Amino acid sequence: METTTTTETKQKVYFDLTTSPHLHSKWSTKKVMWFVNLALAPTIAAALAFFGIYQALIMLTAIAFAVGTEAAIQSIRKKQVTWFDGSAALTGLLLALTLPPNFSLSATAIGSVVAIGLGKQIFGGLGYNIFNPALVGRAFLQAAFPVQITTWMKPNFAVDGITSATPLAALKFDKVFTETTPMILGNIGGSLGETSAIAVLLGGIFLIAVGIVNWRIPLSMILGMIIFGGIFWLINPQYPTPIFHILAGSFLFGAMFMATDWVTSPITNKGMWVFGLGISLVLVIIRIYGGLPEGVMYSILFMNGFVPLINKYTVPRTFGAVKENKK
Amino acid sequence: MSIGTFRGGVHPPEFKELTENCAFETIPNPEEIILPVSQHLGKDATPQVKKGDDVITGQLVAKAEGFISAPVHTSVAGKVLSLGKEITPTGFPKDAIVIKTNGTLEGERFRLSPLDPETITPDEIRARVAEAGIVGQGGAAFPTYVKLSPPKDKIIEVVILNGCECEPYLTRDYRFMIERPDDLISGLKLIMKALGVKRGVIGIEDNKPEAIKLLSDKILGETGLEVVALKTKYPQGAEKMLIKAVTGKEVPPGKLPMDVGAVIQNIGTAVAIHDAVVKGEVLTIAALTVSGKGIKVPKNLLVPVGTPIQNVIDFCGGVTEDAVKIVVGGPMMGVSQFDLHAPVMKATSGILVLTKEEITENPETPCLRCGQCVGACPLNLMPTKLSRYSQLQRYEDAEGADITVCMECGTCAYTCPANIPLVQWIRLGKQKVLEMQKERAAVTQ
Ligand code: SF4
Ligand code: SF4
């Protein structure tokens, strides 16, 4: 068979031959991770403002050890070193923000190593872990340093009546309700990230606006809190109001930055609703019946464990398919 | 005005501004054209000429073979140079007729006899559409007369003209709507007549307000015709999405639009039908957009079918230094090219020359389970799962997860921050599953 030439062969032969689609959104794993880090800026600023410069040391220590652990494990296992993708730094930063303002640096470092080692790399690295690594680190510290991790510090700009205790602890152990305004602003006792509701919301709304955080998770958690917290409060007004539940402790921080962790939250839209509502239900029960004042960490970790199951049972109905076994 | 749409989808940057104001230009005949005998879905057409034969423009060179097929006509006058395998934009060599142009023969032109659209019968319309070699201009190149001949038991209620043109860069349908609105409407009426349908809808994305306005004005006072504005979103122009947006009905998996009473036709197809009936023209010209940041002068062109891509690119001033990729079709579903001798085909809607900056390839990382692809899939599939099954060769699981329903629109891969080649994996898995199903069918027979 003869081949024919049409024009001068001036064509370039190096044309890229990848398959469709030839356009991609501007997001990459790395860019997403750094955007989440960026979204924590207001919270970081609030932590520094309320608790002082020592907080910067906690955060830097946590990030350094997280990134270092990631790099060390990856090079030992002869895997590609991806510490610069921002995910390890994010884990370190998130962990730091769950710690009390006067937490020791050495314990912080241990927490970071555990978060990356046990929380992430043991499963095979980014994308394969089941539990939120920062929360795994935090849970470890809770067990290892139970006293230190519940020792709080009085914030700068504390107004009358504000003690170093967190609003939840104050309520649980002293039956003292904290006012709403300080909880919104953040001049209350608590861990670095949980104090200022406004700062957390700013970052969270930013992430929702750029499309990184799926709004279904924070919204379903808040709705869940209004429903389940509301039910308890209606039964017995001695229990905190839903508003208090939402503003106190690390609820908002968890809703915006922890529960929304891509890897450990459901991938289906319906699943996200189940997940968010589930977290709030578990949380209300822990806060009301549990021995500890706070429970966001446990409720998220608990629901993380159900994610594979949730994904399995919330597969969307294929377009045009008739719903099967509608009984 | 209600704005119809569907669930999911994405909003890629459009880049329509590069060509939306470029009126169609006619490209001069190339020295040589390459006419694959299969420019449509279905059976190859059978060559009717031998090496050395003289042909005139519009002459039949390959006859339709069987029910799903379309004839091929030459777009230039000249001499048949060869019959053999030639590269096509799909990347595979196919049987083709190569014709060397001869200017002295150009005056003559083959035409069918014009027909009166008022008195023409449905059968005559179908026969004419078949004879003129018209195929769907939207990509799959399904022979149009087959779509105009639904089985008796299917009741068609609505004809929808697809004026969405949701692929970024492409503006050829838009130009048709702006430049030839009357012919377009005439074509739509012919389609409706062939199908015996009372309702004709032109669905247009709301990023084309001038087209919406112009066509709405043109159909004022006509009964049964309407222009529907649709949300600008990719892939709004996919058949299933368009039907959902216009009628609210979902085409079930494995079924066709006609199963829910709808027939979709492309804008260019309607114009071609008008030309075939009223002017007696056979389909030898492809209307296409040449665009992308890598082409010197972006244009909308009328190109003789069979013209090598290289000629089209040369006519547009050639490529820029930073061009890295040439795509036939739109950027979301088009095919990248390695041999620019491949010809423009009947259904070619665009040629894009893309630069590095436009295609932003990020490194692939493991799946982050972010669910972006799941949320974006317009057919409610789980792209991450489908591609995983395909990678692991778990084809039964892939089948169970409806991999065959995937229309390869690329929406999922567009969203994926981990830059996993989802569509590539899904395509592979889909092929395997289809093979498996065929084998199964063969065994049970
Ligand atoms: S390519 Fe397939 S799986 Fe991906 S979004 Fe389109 S239909 Fe869904
Ligand atoms: S979009 Fe990509 S990273 Fe996200 S779930 Fe889908 S495949 Fe995984």
Side-chain angles (χ1 to χ4, degrees), chain A residues 12-86:
Chain A
K12 302 183 188 176
V13 271
Y14 56 81
F15 285 125
D16 200 336
L17 284 177
T18 43
T19 57
S20 62
H22 306 289
L23 294 182
H24 293 274
S25 75
K26 295 279 180 276
W27 293 113
S28 66
T29 300
K30 194 168 156 184
K31 197 165 165 191
V32 165
M33 293 301 163
W34 287 113
F35 258 70
V36 182
N37 279 301
L38 182 70
L40 288 165
T43 306
I44 296 170
L48 293 174
F50 290 122
F51 301 113
I53 199 71
Y54 177 71
Q55 311 317 313
L57 291 180
I58 297 184
M59 290 184 256
L60 288 176
T61 305
I63 292 171
F65 276 85
V67 172
T69 309
E70 176 118 320
I73 296 179
Q74 285 178 335
S75 44
I76 290 169
R77 300 177 71 197
K78 301 213 168 26
K79 287 198 18 192
Q80 200 193 352
V81 177
T82 56
W83 59 268
F84 45 82
D85 71 5

Side-chain angles (χ1 to χ4, degrees), chain A:
Chain A
M1 148 79 242
E2 54 199 313
T3 39
T4 47
T5 38
T6 19
T7 44
E8 302 287 297
T9 40
K10 51 185 156 183
Q11 73 214 47
K12 302 183 188 176
V13 271
Y14 56 81
F15 285 125
D16 200 336
L17 284 177
T18 43
T19 57
S20 62
H22 306 289
L23 294 182
H24 293 274
S25 75
K26 295 279 180 276
W27 293 113
S28 66
T29 300
K30 194 168 156 184
K31 197 165 165 191
V32 165
M33 293 301 163
W34 287 113
F35 258 70
V36 182
N37 279 301
L38 182 70
L40 288 165
T43 306
I44 296 170
L48 293 174
F50 290 122
F51 301 113
I53 199 71
Y54 177 71
Q55 311 317 313
L57 291 180
I58 297 184
M59 290 184 256
L60 288 176
T61 305
I63 292 171
F65 276 85
V67 172
T69 309
E70 176 118 320
I73 296 179
Q74 285 178 335
S75 44
I76 290 169
R77 300 177 71 197
K78 301 213 168 26
K79 287 198 18 192
Q80 200 193 352
V81 177
T82 56
W83 59 268
F84 45 82
D85 71 5
S87 66
L90 180 60
T91 298
L93 185 54
L94 286 173
L95 171 69
L97 292 172
T98 64
L99 300 174
N102 41 6
F103 203 63
S104 89
L105 296 184
S106 53
T108 303
I110 295 171
S112 270
V113 173
V114 170
I116 296 291
L118 274 181
K120 181 175 173 189
Q121 287 297 337
I122 214 173
F123 293 97
L126 183 63
Y128 298 105
N129 48 304
I130 297 171
F131 298 102
N132 184 320
L135 291 182
V136 170
R138 155 85 206 205
F140 175 82
L141 293 178
Q142 179 98 44
F145 304 91
V147 178
Q148 248 207 60
I149 212 157
T150 45
T151 308
W152 309 101
M153 189 180 135
K154 207 168 165 162
N156 297 329
F157 325 112
V159 287
D160 282 354
I162 287 186
T163 63
S164 63
T166 71
L168 285 164
L171 179 69
K172 182 135 214 139
F173 305 122
D174 307 323
K175 299 270 176 289
V176 178
F177 266 105
T178 308
E179 303 269 349
T180 308
T181 319
M183 289 200 289
I184 290 176
L185 294 177
N187 46 346
I188 48 172
S191 57
L192 307 188
E194 75 184 31
T195 57
S196 172
I198 276 205
V200 168
L201 280 175
L202 271 178
I205 289 167
F206 166 74
L207 289 180
I208 291 173
V210 297
I212 292 178
V213 159
N214 193 310
W215 53 269
R216 289 176 183 83
I217 294 175
L219 187 71
S220 59
M221 275 177 70
I222 291 170
L223 280 180
M225 208 30 127
I226 293 172
I227 299 168
F228 305 123
I231 291 175
F232 277 98
W233 174 64
L234 287 177
I235 293 172
N236 182 352
Q238 293 286 301
Y239 291 135
T241 63
I243 299 285
F244 182 87
H245 268 305
I246 289 168
L247 291 174
S250 43
F251 179 83
L252 285 173
F253 189 70
M256 292 298 185
F257 292 100
M258 294 291 194
T260 53
D261 169 30
W262 277 355
V263 177
T264 56
S265 63
I267 57 175
T268 62
N269 287 346
K270 224 194 281 169
M272 293 182 199
W273 285 103
V274 176
F275 182 68
L277 291 171
I279 292 173
S280 286
L281 177 61
V282 175
L283 178 57
V284 171
I285 293 172
I286 294 180
R287 279 187 180 174
I288 288 177
Y289 296 112
L292 291 167
E294 175 61 302
V296 173
M297 173 182 80
Y298 291 116
S299 51
I300 293 177
L301 284 171
F302 182 80
M303 289 307 287
N304 281 164
F306 284 98
V307 166
L309 213 63
I310 295 177
N311 280 336
K312 193 168 165 193
Y313 288 104
T314 54
V315 172
R317 175 191 61 93
T318 300
F319 186 90
V322 197
K323 266 226 171 72
E324 281 161 50
N325 51 43
K326 219 203 290 175
K327 280 173 210 159

Side-chain angles (χ1 to χ4, degrees), chain B residues 237-281:
Chain B
E239 286 197 338
K240 288 185 176 184
M241 303 303 109
L242 189 55
I243 294 170
K244 169 84 180 174
V246 170
T247 69
K249 289 183 190 160
E250 296 189 1
V251 180
K255 294 279 171 141
L256 297 169
M258 65 169 78
D259 292 307
V260 294
V263 164
I264 309 266
Q265 293 286 359
N266 187 265
I267 292 286
T269 311
V271 175
I273 291 173
H274 166 85
D275 288 349
V277 169
V278 176
K279 302 186 194 160
E281 275 176 15

Side-chain angles (χ1 to χ4, degrees), chain B residues 235 373 376-383 386 403 405-413 422-423 426:
Chain B
C373 57
C377 177
L379 297 181
N380 301 354
L381 301 172
M382 305 263 280
L386 297 178
I403 196 167
V405 175
C406 170
M407 57 177 165
E408 301 176 25
C409 65
T411 305
C412 50
L422 292 167
V423 183
I426 295 174

